[in-house]
């Protein structure tokens, strides 16, 4: 099943088996559950009777630790009434006297879980890819539309092709570069994009700030009989591809379209909700904060307060990197850490080191229950060598990387902080033990953070195996570095925790430096990469590379594309009071008729730091760019490369001639 649509009192399931399209209709009455004082529930039941299809009292648990209680179950006539009825209840009856359950689940997921309908995708689906650039959308033209990667330079040709693609059955999946592509096509064509019904707006666009980050979610559209996947708002698609999404569908029971736009927290919650429901536990309605997952390499591990063994910022030779595989998730599973198991009511065992918290021995927590199978399946996928297992493994990896931040799960109102503290305490204990064991094996420890250790010594594989067996979590030999350089903080002799580069197994390995950040212009990335490749053999050569790049920037011997800076804006263009470059770029885009909102990205070139316009957008005619701005960027990137090698200021190195300086 790849899509569920709702029409009147029916749910329509779409699936494709052995190439044949199936459409199955089933009667569906969406349900809302309400808990509260008995008299109040009776009153609600009587007062809402005219608006509901059916209602009755049922026994459910409203939290994992609680006994079953009587809750009011209300069935509605039609899915389309669900939201307004829920909001009506919320306005009319006071909280916290009553609590709602299964009220905020996404509609297709809710249907699958409550009706036991598995949305797994069985065979090949027909997919249509539609890409159109933002400037074209701004100009309201389909000129330049890419259809399955084929570009159309005339709008009428593009429309002819679309007409062909949508005639007959048409595609099962619409994979679009952003949601406005659909509305534009809908505007331009005289046929319906859906299978017998037209475009439906599910949610307006909005921007939310959470944890100091701004997240933009574009309008969402549903097309009858087809799954819509918006590439601009699907983190999982970009990380794990379609195969990864398919895996997550069968794991979460979130149908394809909903899994594509889900955040990682959302995906974990879905697994938990379904598991709970099958154990007769309802999930309370909360307003979930959206979140954007960070990449592992940019995550500031120090913020997590785990183990740190700080090296001096310098260069080490012949060093092995050993990593504990998915250490935090493994700690959660092995130690049974979950909000409802930490300091439970029934056990007193002071199991958590340093802190003395107790952990329940009588029940397995929800978090370990959810993560256990994911860890298990991922290590199986890692051992297989197919495209599917690779993509599935990538999807699960992101879940495991992010799960530490997700501890405030659907069934617990509190307890997340204690969980974080407990995990970190176990982490420190494990890392200290591992360090001591490795030292006993004759290793010299150079550096350690959270779940990684760098050390030199002999017989690594054996040592890793010993530690793995002793600790009960696998320590993997990740790299053998010929050399590795830890980059110091600016104006400091202390190393930044996870910024390093080096050569391992014949390849460059980097973490946390400029070339890994998407906002760094390509020219700076290229320069930094070349310098890293040269610096270990010869600092002079690295500096020559820098000089070469500087002179190319000054003499305009570069590709203008390489100067583009890409940044996420944190406000809507009209809300910027200050005029930093990103704000200026955003305002400029808006003036050109391109819709841009907080949380989206701007792409620009720095034209002139001191006179307006200071920036030009990536698709504009570039009359000039600011040499010295880019030269400064190059120098600062070069400094990260040279400082571990004892060069303090690149400026001086350039002026004095590096040979003298060193
Ligand atoms: Zn207990």
């Amino acid at each position: 099943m790849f899509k569920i649509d709702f029409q009147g009192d029916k749910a329509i399931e779409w699936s494709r088996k052995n190439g044949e399209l199936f459409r199955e209709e089933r009667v569906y009455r969406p349900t809302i559950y309400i808990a509260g004082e008995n008299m109040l529930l009776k009153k609600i039941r009587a007062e809402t009777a005219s608006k509901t299809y059916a209602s009755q009292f049922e026994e459910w648990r409203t939290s994992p630790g609680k006994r079953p209680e009587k809750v009011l179950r209300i069935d509605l006539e039609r899915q389309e009434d669900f939201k307004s009825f829920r909001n009506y209840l919320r306005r009319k009856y006071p909280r916290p006297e009553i609590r709602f359950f299964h009220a905020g689940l996404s509609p297709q997921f809710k249907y699958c879980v409550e009706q036991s309908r598995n949305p797994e995708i069985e065979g090949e689906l027909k997919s249509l890819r539609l890409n159109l650039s933002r400037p074209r959308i701004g100009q309201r033209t389909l000129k330049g539309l890419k259809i399955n990667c084929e570009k159309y330079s005339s709008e009428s040709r593009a429309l002819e092709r679309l007409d062909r693609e949508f005639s007959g059955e048409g595609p099962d999946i619409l994979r679009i570069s952003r949601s406005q592509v659909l509305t534009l096509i809908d505007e331009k064509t005289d046929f319906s994009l859906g299978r017998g019904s037209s475009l439906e707006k599910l949610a307006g666009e909005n921007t939310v700030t959470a944890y100091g980050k701004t997240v933009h979610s574009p309008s969402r559209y549903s097309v009858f009989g087809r799954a819509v996947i918006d590439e601009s708002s699907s983190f999982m698609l970009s990380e794990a591809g379609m195969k990864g999404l398919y895996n997550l569908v069968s794991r979460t029971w979130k149908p394809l379209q909903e899994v594509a736009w889900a955040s990682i927290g959302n995906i974990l919650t879905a697994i938990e909700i379904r598991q709970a429901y099958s154990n007769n536990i309802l999930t309370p309605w909360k307003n979930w904060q959206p979140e954007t997952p960070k990449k592992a390499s940019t995550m500031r591990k120090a913020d997590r307060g785990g183990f740190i063994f700080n090296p001096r910022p310098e260069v080490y030779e012949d060093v092995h990197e050993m990593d504990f595989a998915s250490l935090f998730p493994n700690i959660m599973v092995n130690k049974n850490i979950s909000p409802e198991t930490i300091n439970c009511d029934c056990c007193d065992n002071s199991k958590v080191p340093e802190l003395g918290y107790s952990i329940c021995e009588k029940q397995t927590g929800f978090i370990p229950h959810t993560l256990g199978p994911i860890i298990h399946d991922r290590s199986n996928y890692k051992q297989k060598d197919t495209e599917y297992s690779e993509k599935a493994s990538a999807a699960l990896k992101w879940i495991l990387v992010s799960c530490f931040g997700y501890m405030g799960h659907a069934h617990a109102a509190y307890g997340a902080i204690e969980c974080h503290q407990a995990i970190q305490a176990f982490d420190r204990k494990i890392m200290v033990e591992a360090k001591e064991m490795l030292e006993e094996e004759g290793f010299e420890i150079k550096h350690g953070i959270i779940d990684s250790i760098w050390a030199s010594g002999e017989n690594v594989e054996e040592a890793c195996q010993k530690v793995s067996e002793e600790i009960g979590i696998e320590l993997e030999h990740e790299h053998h570095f010929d050399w590795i350089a830890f980059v110091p903080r600016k104006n400091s002799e202390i190393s930044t925790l996870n910024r390093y580069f080096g050569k391992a197994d014949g390849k460059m390995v980097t973490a946390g430096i400029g070339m890994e950040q998407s906002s760094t212009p390509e020219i700076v990335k290229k320069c930094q990469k070349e310098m890293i490749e040269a610096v270990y053999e010869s600092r002079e050569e690295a500096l020559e590379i820098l000089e070469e790049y500087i002179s190319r920037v000054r003499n305009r011997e570069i590709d203008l594309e390489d100067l583009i800076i890409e940044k996420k804006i944190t406000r809507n263009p009209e809300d910027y009071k200050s005029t930093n470059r990103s704000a200026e770029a955003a305002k400029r885009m808006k003036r050109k008729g391109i819709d841009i909102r907080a949380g989206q990205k701007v792409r620009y070139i720095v034209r002139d730091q001191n006179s307006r316009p200071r920036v030009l957008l990536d698709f504009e005619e570039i009359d000039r760019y600011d040499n010295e701005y880019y030269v400064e960027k190059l120098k600062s990137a070069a400094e990260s490369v040279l400082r571990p090698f004892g060069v303090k200021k690149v400026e001086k190195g350039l002026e004095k001639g590096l040979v003298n300086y060193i």
Side-chain angles (χ1 to χ4, degrees), residues 344-347 360-362:
C344 61
D345 298 333
C346 46
C347 309
C360 193
E361 287 165 345
K362 298 194 174 131

Side-chain angles (χ1 to χ4, degrees), residues 346-588:
C346 46
C347 309
D348 182 11
N349 50 31
S350 303
K351 272 190 169 175
V352 180
E354 300 168 38
L355 305 169
Y357 296 160
S358 292
I359 303 176
C360 193
E361 287 165 345
K362 298 194 174 131
Q363 59 159 340
T364 304
F366 256 97
I367 299 266
H369 218 83
T370 309
L371 292 180
I374 296 178
I375 293 175
H376 178 260
D377 292 355
R378 171 145 195 265
S379 75
N380 282 348
Y381 288 138
K382 269 172 84 177
Q383 275 151 32
K384 288 181 197 141
D385 193 25
T386 65
E387 194 207 340
Y388 180 77
S389 64
E390 191 190 310
K391 294 296 184 188
S393 166
L396 299 190
K397 180 187 143 196
W398 287 111
I399 294 182
L400 294 175
V401 163
S402 313
C403 67
F404 180 68
Y406 155 77
M407 297 298 285
H409 72 152
H411 291 93
Y414 50 86
I417 291 169
E418 286 81 0
C419 286
H420 284 159
Q421 292 171 336
I423 293 164
Q424 287 162 350
F426 277 113
D427 171 48
R428 287 188 289 267
K429 182 165 178 271
I430 288 169
M431 288 293 278
V432 168
E433 281 171 10
K435 176 175 174 276
E436 284 167 1
M437 287 176 68
L438 287 170
E439 279 168 349
E440 256 169 54
E441 297 294 312
F443 280 83
E444 197 184 322
I445 311 290
K446 304 291 187 191
H447 187 32
I449 33 167
I450 308 292
D451 52 6
S452 305
I453 297 173
W454 288 265
S456 41
E458 301 293 317
N459 301 326
V460 199
E461 306 295 341
E462 280 165 41
C464 282
Q465 205 182 335
K466 263 192 185 169
V467 175
S468 304
E469 277 164 19
E470 189 66 32
I471 307 268
I473 297 170
E474 201 187 340
L475 183 67
E476 293 172 335
H477 180 207
E478 198 66 33
H479 296 295
H480 181 187
F481 282 95
D482 297 335
W483 58 270
I484 182 168
F486 290 97
V487 181
R489 288 198 193 102
K490 288 230 169 208
N491 310 318
S492 160
E493 294 305 314
I494 307 162
S495 135
T496 319
L497 295 163
N498 55 338
R499 290 177 69 197
Y500 60 82
F501 56 88
K503 190 160 205 168
D505 318 308
K507 276 187 293 193
M508 282 297 141
V509 178
T510 64
I513 59 171
M515 58 186 266
E516 301 212 348
Q517 284 149 21
S518 64
S519 61
T520 306
E522 206 56 41
I523 188 97
V524 177
K525 288 184 186 173
K526 284 179 181 168
C527 174
Q528 197 173 41
K529 184 161 176 276
E530 282 179 37
M531 287 183 72
I532 287 174
E533 274 161 12
V535 70
Y536 181 71
E537 299 295 331
S538 157
R539 282 164 278 194
E540 289 79 0
E541 199 189 318
L543 222 76
E544 276 164 24
I545 291 168
L546 173 64
E547 281 181 319
E548 165 76 21
Y549 269 88
I550 289 177
S551 86
R552 276 166 57 193
V553 164
R554 287 192 173 136
N555 298 323
R556 328 249 133 172
E557 291 160 358
I558 46 151
D559 194 345
L560 290 172
E561 282 273 310
D562 285 352
L563 300 179
I564 293 172
I565 294 164
E566 189 178 278
K567 278 217 168 121
K568 224 181 205 187
I569 55 167
T570 52
R571 296 162 202 263
N572 293 334
E574 62 275 16
D575 298 335
Y576 272 108
K577 289 200 185 72
S578 73
T579 44
N580 59 38
R581 282 185 290 271
S582 300
E584 199 178 317
K587 286 179 177 167
R588 204 170 167 82

Side-chain angles (χ1 to χ4, degrees), residues 550 553-554 556 609 625-635:
I550 289 177
V553 164
R554 287 192 173 136
R556 328 249 133 172
Q609 291 190 86
Y625 63 84
D626 192 318
N627 299 344
E628 292 317 302
Y629 172 83
Y630 287 99
V631 167
E632 279 311 310
K633 288 265 163 198
L634 287 171
K635 283 182 186 169

